Amino acid sequence: MSMKAHTSAGPPKDRKLAPPRPSASVVLLSPENQVLLLHRVQTSSAFPSAHVFPGGNLSDFHDGTVPGPDDPKRHEDSLPYRLAAIRETFEESGILLAREGDADGKPLNIPSSERDKARNAIYKNEVRFVEWLQSVGGVADIDNLSPFTRWITPLGQPRRFTTQMYLYMLPLSTSNDPAVSAARSEAMIPTPDGGVEITAARFDDASTWLQKQRKGEIVMFPPQCFLLYLLSQFLVGPPKGSPSLSEIMEHYRSQREKLRGFLATVPTAGDPKAAKHPTAQIPWAEKVISPTMLGIRQSDKRSILALDKPGPELKGSDRGGDWERVVLVRFAKGVAKDVEVRSREEVLAEERRLEGAAKETKL
């Protein structure tokens, strides 16, 4: 394995480093604990052809402002990030994460015709998202967004983002939301941009999404694969047999409780060595991940990406990601392929064995 501290090339010294653009994304769970992914078109400006979580860039007009590029607080969870996550999910999928009246109200349900009209107006900046919600008697359900890592694009990329990820669980009771129902069967979702970025939306099991990626049926990038990998350990599908409705709901409720327990547990690492690393003391809600290159695998030439660094903007701070795991990936023409989440220690041990075998062969 060719070992390098960081293979991403930095910008020329005479050019100012482009700051990562603030964005937000939602890992949205259906009542059956399936995960929503949107399929981006091949010509998309970000993650072309990929399946992604709903989300997008913050808007000063809709969401408010965040601290400037030189302020570390720019990379912390805040109201503008939460509003952007809910607004972008609504614009892209039609699913509205809002409550009637106030934070304690019932989920807000808007007729499809009004919903699509509002999505178009919000996308065109004809009305502020929060003001539209107020006009229909609702508020954004920001309290039920749970921070679930932040990702900062490494150096050397043409577009850089600081993306706050959130986990949101739709109510376990059967939803009568037409947008949710459509996404259960991979509907072609009408979008305000006329399908320039998104073509379809679908809920599916986390393990199924990962399996499709491994088979080459869909494209997913490391952040999506990593978070789906974590979820797949707890959201393991429907109950077996012919359970009653109450038993089904209890099954999914239990999955969610186990997931919440995992996300709240510190240290975040299970391996004893990894548990001693400082990043293991950072809860998942506060982890910041900026992938860095550890090297190239000898066996299949995939890149080994470490996940413990927070990125150049937070270098020297107490922020960090996950030391215990790495991502294996092959990039081809800007598209991620053969993405796999593995134990860091196992992968590096494999490389050491191959290096040792190669030296013995030369002798």
Side-chain angles (χ1 to χ4, degrees):
M1 177 177 65
S2 174
M3 299 297 292
K4 300 179 181 179
H6 195 308
T7 62
S8 295
K13 292 183 179 180
D14 60 342
R15 290 179 58 187
K16 187 177 180 180
L17 174 65
R21 188 170 182 178
S23 65
S25 194
V26 178
V27 182
L28 183 62
L29 301 189
S30 74
E32 298 80 21
N33 289 345
Q34 294 186 323
V35 184
L36 179 69
L37 290 186
L38 309 180
H39 187 193
R40 289 195 176 277
V41 299
Q42 187 175 6
T43 55
S44 173
S45 59
F47 302 110
S49 302
H51 278 70
V52 299
F53 304 123
N57 295 325
L58 271 63
S59 161
D60 290 351
F61 178 76
H62 291 291
D63 314 315
T65 59
V66 295
D70 297 327
D71 191 334
K73 292 189 182 215
R74 182 182 183 87
H75 310 286
E76 295 180 3
D77 172 35
S78 63
L79 178 59
Y81 281 105
R82 292 185 177 230
L83 288 175
I86 292 176
R87 174 183 55 79
E88 284 285 343
T89 297
F90 181 55
E91 286 185 21
E92 291 188 329
S93 71
I95 297 175
L96 182 58
L97 308 181
R99 298 273 170 179
E100 293 180 2
D102 55 32
D104 297 322
K106 298 185 299 182
L108 182 65
N109 200 352
I110 302 294
S112 295
S113 57
E114 292 183 30
R115 187 183 303 236
D116 291 340
K117 189 183 300 182
R119 291 168 67 197
N120 189 59
I122 293 164
Y123 173 78
K124 293 180 177 179
N125 293 341
E126 294 174 353
V127 60
R128 284 184 171 84
F129 177 56
V130 172
E131 292 177 358
W132 171 75
L133 274 176
Q134 291 173 343
S135 73
V136 295
V139 295
D141 192 14
I142 57 174
D143 291 344
N144 282 310
L145 288 172
S146 299
F148 187 29
T149 70
R150 174 180 291 270
W151 293 73
I152 297 181
T153 311
L155 298 176
Q157 303 301 315
R159 293 170 179 264
R160 298 185 67 228
F161 302 93
T162 173
T163 303
Q164 179 64 59
M165 298 285 191
Y166 295 100
L167 180 67
Y168 187 99
M169 304 179 184
L170 290 170
L172 286 172
S173 56
T174 303
S175 174
N176 59 356
D177 186 322
V180 173
S181 299
R184 281 171 164 151
S185 57
E186 192 159 21
M188 303 300 289
I189 302 294
T191 54
D193 64 6
V196 173
E197 295 285 340
I198 301 295
T199 61
R202 181 182 176 86
F203 282 107
D204 214 333
D205 293 332
S207 59
T208 300
W209 286 126
L210 292 171
Q211 185 179 38
K212 287 181 177 180
Q213 187 276 145
R214 286 194 297 270
K215 291 181 177 180
E217 297 175 3
I218 64 173
V219 173
M220 288 196 301
F221 282 78
Q224 287 77 23
C225 288
F226 181 77
L227 297 182
L228 286 170
Y229 167 83
L230 295 180
L231 295 178
S232 69
Q233 299 173 75
F234 304 95
L235 311 182
V236 294
K240 297 187 182 340
S242 303
S244 65
L245 178 59
S246 61
E247 289 172 332
I248 292 173
M249 292 183 66
E250 175 57 26
H251 174 79
Y252 291 128
R253 186 201 65 77
S254 177
Q255 289 182 354
R256 292 184 175 192
E257 287 305 307
K258 290 176 182 177
L259 174 59
R260 288 190 181 101
F262 167 77
L263 296 178
T265 298
V266 174
T268 58
D271 176 79
K273 182 177 179 180
K276 295 178 181 178
H277 195 271
T279 58
Q281 299 303 319
I282 303 173
W284 289 104
E286 299 175 15
K287 287 187 184 295
V288 182
I289 300 173
S290 184
T292 56
M293 178 79 86
L294 282 181
I296 303 295
R297 283 203 1 138
Q298 298 179 62
S299 58
D300 57 19
K301 305 306 179 185
R302 282 187 292 176
S303 298
I304 305 174
L305 301 183
L307 307 173
D308 55 312
K309 306 298 184 187
E313 285 76 17
L314 295 173
K315 185 177 181 180
S317 71
D318 59 358
R319 309 292 296 278
D322 180 33
W323 186 90
E324 185 176 25
R325 302 167 186 86
V326 295
V327 170
L328 306 180
V329 59
R330 180 180 292 108
F331 288 105
K333 297 181 179 179
V335 174
K337 296 183 178 181
D338 302 323
V339 185
E340 183 182 4
V341 180
R342 292 279 306 280
S343 158
R344 180 189 189 117
E345 287 293 279
E346 288 180 1
V347 169
L348 296 186
E350 290 173 359
E351 295 305 305
R352 287 192 292 269
R353 285 195 295 270
L354 288 173
E355 288 177 356
K359 288 179 181 179
E360 291 181 4
T361 301
K362 288 180 181 179
L363 296 175

